[in-house]
Amino acid sequence: MSSHKPIKVALLGCGTVGTEVVRLLTDQAADLTARVGAPVELAGIAVRKPNKHRDVPAELLTADAEALIASDVDVVVEVIGGIEPARSLLLAALRSGKSVVTANKALLAEHSADLFEASDASGADLYFEAAVAGAIPLLRPLRESLAGDRITRVMGIVNGTTNFILSGMDSTGASYGETLEEATRLGYAEADPTADVDGFDAASKAAILASLAFHSRVTAADVHREGIASVSAADIAAAKALGRTVKLLAICERVTEDGGESISVRVHPAMIPKSHPLAGVNGAFNAVFVEADAAGEMMFYGQGAGGAPTASAVLGDLVAVARNRVHRGRGPRESAYAALPVRPMGQTPTRYHISLDVADRAGVLSQVAAVFAEHDVSIAAVRQEGRVDDASLVIVTHAATDAALRSTVDKIGGLPVVREVVSVMRVEGEEL
Ligand code: HSE
């Protein structure tokens, strides 16, 4: 048995994730002791209403989070979520030298600079694996395993709710509204699904991923964000017709231009080829595809949400910070030395797929093509199918700035020969 004094843990929050953290700490106490080199002891659980929690030992519950943090605990685990009171509580913990493990993506995406500063001042650890993609080990690979490489792109499905909806639309052909209703009925979407379907949740995760991948400070406000509410059954059908599928992607990309470097950080729906590894990620699963100079391509896949999967990531962090306490080590600090600027979306190179209903007569294609040329957008592929009195025209572009592509689409929509712009969607995951 270990002779080191116990590592005392304060748990802030006891919802779905917190309850699982308590269960794992209890069920695996002996193994955790052996792995850490000291017993890991739950000293208290701070919740708003202690009498509402029947699944955890009553004697551990308290409504006074400040007092619990100020007691002789070594580590504070936060699974409350949201900015306040989590921010103030974790700053107080770090300032007084208590290591912090948090699953709070919104907090990290907005206030990581303050948290890292407090962690540096006292030498306490700050770990947050559970903040992005639940159980999937992803932040530690970016922060540690790939610290000797040069990451060029991180592209992922980091929101299970929207992936469940888009997968459903793809398999049934149903509309966004119908599929969201079904997802809500089955409990995959929250009663208020805004944070998920409008891309806020994915944008927070993208900010965290970009900060770690590119050693730069990126906040949620830097992330270009589009949700899935405007993805139509026609978009999904257009993707299918070309052997592609639509996913909500969080993309963090290094852009090199004229010898200078910047980063593009964005969340938006995009078509990817069915052959891309992310295309096979369906339902509520998450996956993140990482490209690095020396390592090449990697994919991290698994459960991105839920009590037990998220608690698994929290426990992994807890073991790491507890080991650091026992062996007097220190986890990685903030690494923002590269300070790469974030590129505005308009200047970001992207590719578009555009599907149009046009009049079927001489000169139509040349009028449409002229608009692309005018905006310096190069066409990669065109497919036309004649119908009875009109034609379907599908155009896939080469990379151009997002602003040029948007202006092209706006102008094409106004051409008298264009009856309807059926679908406009960015294309990712393939080189042309
Ligand atoms: N609401 C998120 C999702 C899980 O749907 O994936 C928590 O980040």
Side-chain angles (χ1 to χ4, degrees), residues 15-64:
T16 328
V17 177
T19 309
E20 285 298 317
V21 168
V22 176
R23 185 181 66 79
L24 292 176
L25 272 174
T26 314
D27 291 358
Q28 297 179 173
D31 286 318
L32 291 172
T33 302
R35 290 171 196 174
V36 167
V40 181
E41 201 175 280
L42 189 54
I45 308 169
V47 290
R48 255 187 317 175
K49 295 181 179 157
N51 55 357
K52 288 264 149 99
H53 296 265
R54 310 236 178 269
D55 301 342
V56 294
E59 67 278 11
L60 292 179
L61 289 163
T62 171
D64 193 346

Side-chain angles (χ1 to χ4, degrees), residues 105 130-131 133-134 158-162 188 190 196 201 205 284 286 304-306:
K105 66 214 149 209
V158 293
N159 183 271
T161 306
T162 47
Y188 283 99
E190 305 265 352
D196 294 313
D201 175 81
K205 293 165 179 170
N286 282 193

